[in-house]
Amino acid sequence: RPQMLVLMKLSDDLTPKYRKLISLVGQLKAGRGLVMCGSIYEGDFSDPAVRDASKKIQTNLKSAMKEEKVKGFAKSVICNEVPEGINVLIQSIGVGALKPNTVVVGWPYTWREEMNNQTYYDFLDAIHRIATADMCLLIPKGIDLFPERDQKVTGMIDVWWIMHDGGLLLLLPFLLKKHKVWRHCKIRVYAVATQNDNNIKMKECLNKWIYQLRIDAEVYVVEMPGTDVTAYIHEKTIQME
């Protein structure tokens, strides 16, 4: 089960910018386990005003988690630069076995308009540091369109299974369906194959594997021409093995 660390961006009034990130993580946890929310505030720790602002951020994070009915704890880190703060959060947050193994990072919506802005580079740097720490990474895009915790949605949860990843891609929709918001959705798994693959055999093996995982899902095999995907899948699968 993923233990979530959510890196929260802040608004000008030091409140969480994307509250639905907390709601989504709470839905993934389905009321079980802890959620850790962390924010980074740039400044000098020796400045009393900076320390007061950090305390206010931590209070706002706790309040947001309480309103979303998400159990866990919050942490605000003061640092001179964002990458330094990410390092501190990843290494220090958590207690004993309740260390995060999955980091949730919001999508940088303004990166096209801010190519010369530090936000773009901070986002890429965060991905690099999280991957280096051997942690799973979730980047929800379009978080404002995600359902609230008291809504009920219907439809399909589509999983595009491009490479062997140990089952995380199937675990996430399975956990989502445990929550009342997503309970009435169905899971569809799209496996990417090349023209040289045996599609019938692949679908048969995937159906058997999903059945053994006790996951109710429909399996489809999609052909994609070209060698780029094949080389990528082969390389990453070898790394996983």
Side-chain angles (χ1 to χ4, degrees):
R1 183 175 293 272
Q3 299 287 351
M4 304 285 190
L5 166 59
V6 188
L7 298 183
M8 296 295 300
K9 291 183 179 180
L10 300 172
S11 301
D12 295 335
D13 59 352
L14 302 182
T15 58
K17 191 171 184 179
Y18 301 112
R19 290 277 297 271
K20 280 192 177 181
L21 275 178
I22 301 176
S23 178
L24 173 63
V25 171
Q27 294 165 26
L28 271 171
K29 300 295 289 182
R32 299 180 181 179
L34 290 176
V35 174
M36 293 149 269
C37 287
S39 287
I40 300 165
Y41 188 72
E42 293 184 78
D44 187 354
F45 185 77
S46 61
D47 187 346
V50 173
R51 293 200 300 271
D52 290 341
S54 180
K55 291 179 181 178
K56 183 180 179 181
I57 292 170
Q58 194 156 312
T59 301
N60 291 338
L61 287 175
K62 290 179 180 178
S63 177
M65 294 175 69
K66 185 177 181 180
E67 289 177 11
E68 295 293 341
K69 296 184 178 180
V70 174
K71 296 180 180 179
F73 53 90
K75 181 76 173 178
S76 176
V77 172
I78 301 172
C79 63
N80 294 322
E81 296 179 352
V82 172
E84 177 189 345
I86 293 176
N87 280 341
V88 173
L89 273 176
I90 290 176
Q91 295 180 69
S92 64
I93 199 165
V95 179
L98 297 175
K99 288 280 187 180
N101 56 24
T102 303
V103 181
V104 182
V105 182
W107 179 261
Y109 295 102
T110 59
W111 71 271
R112 291 185 183 274
E113 295 80 11
E114 301 178 0
M115 284 295 289
N116 296 324
N117 189 294
Q118 194 63 33
T119 303
Y120 173 75
Y121 300 100
D122 288 342
F123 175 72
L124 295 180
D125 185 79
I127 292 176
H128 172 71
R129 292 174 187 275
I130 294 165
T132 304
D134 291 330
M135 304 176 77
C136 297
L137 176 65
L138 298 181
I139 309 176
K141 188 177 180 183
I143 189 65
D144 290 336
L145 302 176
F146 277 63
E148 301 282 357
R149 59 178 174 81
D150 54 352
Q151 288 182 300
K152 293 183 180 180
V153 297
T154 57
M156 301 293 178
I157 302 176
D158 290 345
V159 179
W160 284 86
W161 198 56
I162 300 176
M163 54 168 254
H164 172 63
D165 63 346
L168 179 65
L169 276 177
L170 287 175
L171 175 63
L172 293 177
F174 174 78
L175 293 176
L176 278 177
K177 278 178 61 66
K178 293 289 185 182
H179 196 276
K180 61 182 181 180
V181 173
W182 306 86
R183 190 167 296 158
H184 300 290
C185 294
K186 296 182 179 180
I187 302 174
R188 294 188 298 197
V189 179
Y190 289 91
V192 176
T194 63
Q195 294 175 336
N196 297 327
D197 292 328
N198 187 336
N199 294 355
I200 297 177
K201 183 67 175 177
M202 180 183 290
K203 184 173 182 178
E204 180 182 328
C205 291
L206 278 175
N207 273 320
K208 182 178 179 181
W209 185 55
I210 290 174
Y211 173 77
Q212 291 174 345
L213 293 176
R214 301 297 188 267
I215 294 177
D216 184 16
E218 300 176 7
V219 176
Y220 301 90
V221 178
V222 180
E223 279 192 7
M224 291 185 65
T227 57
D228 293 339
V229 174
T230 306
Y232 173 76
I233 296 172
H234 181 68
E235 178 184 354
K236 296 300 288 185
T237 302
I238 288 177
Q239 291 178 6
M240 289 293 299
E241 293 296 340

